[in-house]
Amino acid sequence: MQKKFKGYDGICVLPQDKLEIALQKLPIEDVWGVGRRTVPVMQSMGIRTAWDFTQKPAYDVEKRFKVTGLRTWRELRGEPCISIESPAMQKSIAHTRTFTYMTDDKEKLRSYISNYAVAAARKLRDQHSICGMVSTFIATNPHREDLAQYGEMATVRMAFSTADTVAIVKAATEALDKIYRQGYQYKRAGVILNDIATDEHIQLDFFEQNIEEHRKSKALMTAMDELNKKFGMNSVRLASQGYEEEKPDLTNFQPLKNETTNINDIIEVH
């Protein structure tokens, strides 16, 4: 209705006393959820308008049009069938990945961790929340028993709770510095945000950040999110995220052999 009548300007809110008149003027084929194949069946039952449909007994509607039809019937009668409540706020946000190729390069790990922290911070802002703790973990491949094994996690408590990407990335990379050890081939890493609360009330540390700086940070993050939504994810990024896609390390690469189709690859038994 809101689309057909210009006076509604795209939005139609019907009071209960106007509902009957509106449904009587709404053809059944224009009801959302009523398909082309359903219309002839309804018309054969004497249903020409949305109002006619609402006057049918619930039992008959469910028997003929199943659960979906019954839900439409209930909604036309003013009964909400789909919850529009906001999902519960996550109390912990994690962004973790298993690498395609193992690495011992600290700078590469720093780039990975920065990207994971950026993604976690974005999720944090999406639910209008802030965090007070940032944890980073790294681990080797437990299935490679021929390699030295190591795994550790470190947590940085923020001076004040925030959803600022720059602050969260800084904390995540500081945690990486605490746990990184040379001599290991790392296969997995991640960033976890904890101590999450709504962003309605932010307690600022007087010596760390004033209210004006907080407002600037929030405006910057909003602009960054909007640009990334418009032009594509990570169109606007931090330098620590890096700019190159992960490339395979082919140092010890051995191509697969085709023992059944290539004579040069036939297995030799000595």
Side-chain angles (χ1 to χ4, degrees), residues 112-149:
Y112 292 163
I113 291 299
S114 294
N115 278 282
Y116 303 160
V118 168
R122 186 166 53 245
K123 292 180 183 178
L124 193 67
R125 292 192 295 275
D126 284 345
Q127 66 173 19
H128 304 288
S129 58
I130 52 180
C131 75
M133 296 172 61
V134 179
S135 300
T136 295
F137 77 85
I138 51 177
T140 54
N141 187 348
H143 303 293
R144 288 294 301 272
E145 297 180 358
D146 58 316
L147 299 176
Q149 298 294 310

Side-chain angles (χ1 to χ4, degrees), residues 99 101-106 108-109 112 180 184-187 246 249:
F99 314 144
Y101 302 96
M102 294 182 291
T103 182
D104 61 353
D105 188 333
K106 185 178 181 181
K108 183 174 288 187
L109 286 173
Y112 292 163
Y180 174 79
Y184 295 96
Q185 292 290 328
Y186 295 100
K187 180 66 174 176
E246 181 182 359
D249 181 0

Side-chain angles (χ1 to χ4, degrees), residues 214-231:
H214 167 66
R215 288 174 180 168
K216 290 180 180 179
S217 168
K218 189 171 184 179
L220 176 62
M221 292 301 103
T222 300
M224 184 175 177
D225 290 341
E226 289 299 322
L227 287 171
N228 282 327
K229 287 178 182 178
K230 184 175 181 179
F231 297 107

Side-chain angles (χ1 to χ4, degrees), residues 157-201:
R157 177 168 287 281
M158 312 294 282
F160 51 87
S161 294
T162 183
D164 186 293
T165 292
V166 176
I168 291 173
V169 169
K170 181 180 178 182
T173 53
E174 284 180 2
L176 173 64
D177 290 336
K178 295 180 180 180
I179 59 178
Y180 174 79
R181 298 291 182 272
Q182 290 183 340
Y184 295 96
Q185 292 290 328
Y186 295 100
K187 180 66 174 176
R188 184 172 174 81
V191 173
I192 305 171
L193 309 183
N194 283 303
D195 191 17
I196 294 176
T198 177
D199 64 0
E200 293 178 356
H201 304 290

